Amino acid sequence: ILNVEQSPQSLHVQEGDSTNFTCSFPSSNFYALHWYRWETAKSPEALFVMTLNGDEKKKGRISATLNTKEGYSYLYIKGSQPEDSATYLCAFSTDSNYQLIWGAGTKLIIKP
Amino acid sequence: EADIYQTPRYLVIGTGKKITLECSQTMGHDKMYWYQQDPGMELHLIHYSYGVNSTEKGDLSSESTVSRIRTEHFPLTLESARPSHTSQYLCASSERRYSAHTDTQYFGPGTRLTVL
């Protein structure tokens, strides 16, 4: 059974601090890794999709890295702001499965 | 801003009732999905469609059914609602039929269903 683990489950961060969290996935037959942000009362929105080992993507203060050989991705947020409060979901797919397998998310709360 | 809509947003209904959750997208996307999600848990794929007249069951066993008669419309039906169906249901779409593992999925706002 393919499984995605996200840690920590939840995280409280002081406004202005930087933070990071992890998505772990099976490394065999890897195809793609997605990060989504899901704010309360809104729809999940795509942040990044990465396919190559060593990929690094950036959008403003948020960046992500990918290690397909050891099966993990990190999401970094620099200088956290209240609007960064959300649940961050990762999902991966294999080269034999067209569907995404999702983690349970990391809930990030930014304290002013 | 994604153009994908779900109705109703909230539904409280009694056991045994038939319900249909509506999902529509105006982006002309081929692939559509229904996910079920309980608080703090993963999104579980319950149904998907590659395009018109295509429907497939997802990884999570579900007593619901879906149809795809038009590209833009992908309703989900529960013939007889039970308390175990209480959950959040998210509809999503992606552009291409067979590239779902790299394509961005666009999500609707969800339907929160409570069965009493």
Side-chain angles (χ1 to χ4, degrees):
Chain A
I1 296 175
L2 298 174
N3 202 34
V4 177
E5 300 283 342
Q6 289 191 248
S7 62
Q9 251 184 335
S10 65
L11 191 53
H12 288 71
V13 173
Q14 198 69 39
E15 182 178 351
D17 287 352
S18 297
T19 187
N20 65 84
F21 29 92
T22 308
C23 172
S24 301
F25 52 86
S27 55
S28 58
N29 308 118
F30 171 87
Y31 197 94
L33 190 286
H34 297 240
W35 281 101
Y36 282 76
R37 175 169 60 200
W38 192 1
E39 294 178 67
T40 303
K42 294 190 177 180
S43 310
E45 287 185 340
L47 287 172
F48 307 112
V49 57
M50 295 181 286
T51 57
L52 298 176
N53 185 44
D55 254 355
E56 186 168 337
K57 295 278 177 93
K58 191 173 178 186
K59 185 186 273 191
R61 295 178 292 99
I62 303 177
S63 60
T65 60
L66 178 66
N67 183 323
T68 62
K69 296 192 185 309
E70 294 179 47
Y72 65 84
S73 174
Y74 292 137
L75 190 83
Y76 300 90
I77 301 178
K78 189 176 172 183
S80 304
Q81 299 298 309
E83 60 266 27
D84 297 328
S85 293
T87 296
Y88 291 82
L89 303 173
C90 76
F92 91 108
S93 63
T94 67
D95 56 12
S96 58
N97 186 344
Y98 285 115
Q99 316 312 330
L100 294 181
I101 298 163
W102 296 81
T106 292
K107 184 171 184 176
L108 176 65
I109 297 162
I110 307 300
K111 300 179 287 185
Chain B
E1 187 89 10
D3 296 319
I4 179 162
Y5 309 98
Q6 288 184 245
T7 57
R9 293 290 306 276
Y10 302 92
L11 180 61
V12 181
I13 202 159
T15 295
K17 300 287 186 187
K18 178 179 177 178
I19 55 171
T20 297
L21 307 185
E22 301 287 348
C23 176
S24 295
Q25 51 96 3
T26 57
M27 297 173 282
H29 285 175
D30 279 333
K31 198 155 178 189
M32 295 188 74
Y33 315 78
W34 276 104
Y35 290 96
Q36 186 174 341
Q37 198 245 356
D38 295 317
M41 302 296 288
E42 303 86 346
L43 272 67
H44 287 290
L45 182 67
I46 51 175
H47 296 283
Y48 60 99
S49 165
Y50 288 110
V52 171
N53 294 326
S54 152
T55 60
E56 306 285 343
K57 287 190 184 292
D59 299 327
L60 182 68
S61 172
S62 174
E63 292 159 351
S64 56
T65 59
V66 291
S67 62
R68 188 94 182 271
I69 298 168
R70 303 196 317 264
T71 298
E72 62 270 23
H73 194 213
F74 191 40
L76 180 143
T77 298
L78 276 165
E79 290 293 331
S80 179
R82 293 211 298 268
S84 59
H85 296 138
T86 295
S87 190
Q88 178 162 232
Y89 293 84
L90 284 164
C91 180
S93 70
S94 61
E95 186 176 358
R96 295 175 295 177
R97 195 169 292 220
Y98 296 115
S99 300
H101 43 341
T102 51
D103 276 4
T104 292
Q105 293 190 17
Y106 295 89
F107 284 84
T111 294
R112 197 169 289 280
L113 173 65
T114 303
V115 184
L116 303 175

